Amino acid sequence: MQAIIISCCGCFHGRTLAAISMSCDNEATRGFGPLLSGHLKVDFGDVVSLEKSFREQGDRIAGFLFEPIQGEAGVIIPPDGYLKSVRDLCTKYNVLMIADEIQTGLARTGKMLACDWEQVRPDVVILGKALGGGVIPVSAVLADKDVMLCIRPGEHGSTFGGNPLASAVAIVSLDVIKEERLAERSYHLGKELRHQLLKVQQQFPDIIKEVRGRGLFNAVEFNSKTLSPVSAYDICLKLKERGVLAKPTHDTIVRLTPPLSISSDELQEGSKTLHEVLELDLPKMKAAKPEKMPVASTTCDRCGRNQYDSSG
């Protein structure tokens, strides 16, 4: 009997074959394969569909893999109570609750882990990025012994597994986050940043559709109709020219994830720069681009839906 992993539409868990087999991102899947079977999808934030899948598939489901806040999808925050409901369902149906906190974890969202927003303890937590403190690449999978000891000696290996230097760096990184109260800092600075970004939205209400985020994990989503033919990538290039680094996703979203050590003055400068790009650069970019640009299909090859419709 084949086991099943459930994941969410719009998810991003990496670029290896098993990870992209869960993906609803055509850029991650087209030209790669054969993709792996044994994956089911549910909408992020939809506990009704999740329980329906649990009921229908029964003992075949090994785990539910999810991001507490979807990062690559554009900092998508689930409805209040979603994480607690997931915890309850996974316990009820004996399914592993697996939280991918590689992007959200370690103070990024204003808590040590994003699951802490609902005081939820997953069965498995995946960590990376911030775990290395910007010094060395390191990632980790955390679980209690009831889960971890299912892997017996000799059944798992990794070329760089057990790296003592990486392990030492990870421990120090965690100490710094705790001692310098970076989670609390991220929480307060994140509120400040969103306050500033909402002011920019008020000045450009037709262009900015939404400002969202938690802690210093934030996104600005643009109205595709009023931004066109300019893309979020174009906006990020202009931000870079003015000294601010940001990352685009899905043509209409710019993610702003500054370092946890950033100052209030630097946040203010970043928000001011976004205002300048929209006021000074955007009209020129629109005039310089053809009126009708070819638009790549955003219909997911996997589920047949438009995952990133940002019009209206």
Side-chain angles (χ1 to χ4, degrees), residues 10-310:
C11 71
F12 179 82
H13 298 293
R15 301 189 187 279
T16 53
L17 196 59
I20 66 168
S21 296
M22 304 176 189
S23 180
C24 289
D25 185 347
N26 294 337
E27 292 182 4
T29 57
R30 284 179 180 170
F32 297 92
L35 300 180
L36 302 186
S37 60
H39 296 291
L40 285 180
K41 307 299 292 185
V42 295
D43 286 335
F44 184 60
D46 185 349
V47 292
V48 174
S49 295
L50 182 63
E51 183 167 22
K52 182 174 183 288
S53 296
F54 283 0
R55 285 199 310 267
E56 291 176 350
Q57 299 299 328
D59 294 340
R60 292 187 64 195
I61 299 172
F64 174 50
L65 175 61
F66 68 100
E67 302 160 87
I69 297 174
Q70 290 193 323
E72 293 294 322
V75 189
I76 307 301
I77 300 172
D80 290 342
Y82 175 67
L83 300 180
K84 283 187 177 180
S85 295
V86 168
R87 175 67 277 174
D88 292 342
L89 287 175
C90 287
T91 300
K92 177 180 178 181
Y93 289 93
N94 194 30
V95 171
L96 286 176
M97 179 182 183
I98 308 170
D100 180 346
E101 294 247 22
I102 288 177
Q103 290 195 33
T104 56
L106 302 183
R108 170 55 57 188
T109 70
K111 300 282 187 181
M112 181 62 85
L113 296 176
C115 285
D116 292 342
W117 278 96
E118 294 191 20
Q119 298 179 323
V120 163
R121 191 175 191 271
D123 299 302
V124 181
V125 175
I126 307 169
L127 293 176
K129 297 188 187 298
L131 187 61
V135 176
I136 197 167
V138 58
S139 58
V141 176
L142 312 180
D144 289 334
K145 65 180 181 180
D146 290 345
V147 174
M148 198 65 77
L149 294 184
C150 290
I151 303 173
R152 291 171 293 188
E155 289 184 340
H156 173 70
S158 172
T159 300
F160 294 108
N163 185 323
L165 175 59
S167 299
V169 168
I171 291 170
V172 173
S173 176
L174 292 170
D175 288 340
V176 169
I177 292 170
K178 184 177 180 180
E179 291 168 5
E180 298 186 8
R181 302 175 65 85
L182 293 184
E184 294 89 337
R185 180 180 178 82
S186 175
Y187 173 81
H188 293 295
L189 288 177
K191 290 182 67 175
E192 186 176 329
L193 174 59
R194 286 186 296 281
H195 178 70
Q196 295 169 11
L197 293 174
L198 287 170
K199 285 185 176 180
V200 178
Q201 182 185 25
Q202 290 170 1
Q203 294 169 309
F204 300 94
D206 295 333
I207 298 173
I208 297 180
K209 179 181 178 181
E210 185 179 17
V211 171
R212 57 179 177 264
R214 275 187 176 156
L216 287 173
F217 194 41
N218 296 274
V220 175
E221 182 169 356
F222 298 98
N223 185 325
S224 60
K225 291 181 179 178
T226 54
L227 186 68
S228 180
V230 175
S231 69
Y233 179 77
D234 298 322
I235 297 293
C236 286
L237 289 180
K238 288 301 179 182
L239 286 169
K240 179 180 72 72
E241 291 176 11
R242 292 179 178 271
V244 173
L245 294 179
K247 191 177 187 301
T249 186
H250 303 302
D251 293 331
T252 59
I253 302 170
V254 171
R255 289 183 291 164
L256 299 166
T257 56
L260 307 186
S261 57
I262 196 169
S263 69
S264 294
D265 289 343
E266 288 168 329
L267 282 182
Q268 185 69 48
E269 186 64 27
S271 301
K272 178 183 175 185
T273 301
L274 176 61
H275 181 279
E276 291 172 349
V277 168
L278 297 181
E279 181 180 45
L280 304 176
D281 297 327
L282 182 57
K284 297 176 183 178
M285 288 190 287
K286 283 187 171 185
K289 280 202 167 189
E291 285 295 327
K292 292 185 178 180
M293 297 285 290
V295 179
S297 172
T298 57
T299 301
C300 175
D301 292 344
R302 195 181 193 289
C303 64
R305 292 182 298 172
N306 186 346
Q307 297 290 326
Y308 307 107
D309 181 7
S310 299

